Amino acid sequence: MTPIRAMATEGRAPTSIAHRRRSRWIAVVAACAAAWSLSGCGGGAYVDAAGNVVIGVTVAGQFAGYTPVAPGGSLNLAVHAGQSVAFDAGESVNWTLYVGGAAISGSGQVYYAGANITATTLSWSTVTVDTYAAYPLPASIPITLVATSTRDSAQVAIVNLLITN
């Protein structure tokens, strides 16, 4: 019969159950604190110190940057027919799309001046506009998106989008 040998524990820190629970608890608290501190970022843009709505713009899947828009002010952008563009206000807003005088709130699709224009609300802050034209457009198509804050209806940002060939 072989005698049972004690395992060598030299150089190891004690790993009691209480020690492991305490380490796990510290990790959970740290993760929660990090998540809480990042939650204020809104995942997109924000309202800056001057009161501007800072809108994140992504064109054809490529992030173009953040653009500050003063309350009641506007952002002008041109895209080619067939490109998709996403706007992220970084705060809870209602997006309304205006095409040829017609208003589309939330998500919707319209065929206007030779192009299919689809607005899709992705989240409480983000909308995408997809465009498609089977043939060259006879003229550029101006559309307008209006972001109205759900917290303060006086906070309005306007995006003037021009669809070109």
Side-chain angles (χ1 to χ4, degrees):
M1 187 185 263
T2 308
I4 299 174
R5 295 184 186 175
M7 292 178 48
T9 59
E10 292 179 28
R12 287 187 180 178
T15 56
S16 68
I17 292 173
H19 177 75
R20 285 186 298 223
R21 285 184 183 161
R22 184 174 32 249
S23 295
R24 197 174 301 144
W25 185 81
I26 290 171
V28 168
V29 169
C32 289
W36 177 75
S37 67
L38 291 175
S39 67
C41 297
Y46 53 89
V47 175
D48 67 10
N52 298 321
V53 176
V54 182
I55 297 177
V57 179
T58 302
V59 178
Q62 298 295 316
F63 181 70
Y66 293 109
T67 303
V69 179
S74 63
L75 163 67
N76 299 317
L77 182 68
V79 297
H80 294 286
Q83 287 185 315
S84 176
V85 61
F87 300 101
D88 186 354
E91 67 172 84
S92 184
V93 296
N94 291 320
W95 286 99
T96 304
L97 171 70
Y98 293 92
V99 179
I104 301 169
S105 293
S107 298
Q109 181 178 7
V110 64
Y111 183 82
Y112 181 76
N116 270 330
I117 303 163
T118 305
T120 306
T121 301
L122 299 178
S123 71
W124 46 267
S125 65
T126 307
V127 66
T128 61
V129 177
D130 296 302
T131 61
Y132 173 76
Y135 302 101
L137 299 173
S140 297
I141 303 171
I143 64 174
T144 303
L145 290 109
V146 177
T148 306
S149 173
T150 59
R151 295 181 194 157
D152 180 3
S153 61
Q155 295 292 328
V156 175
I158 299 167
V159 178
N160 297 310
L161 184 62
L162 188 65
I163 302 170
T164 65
N165 283 320

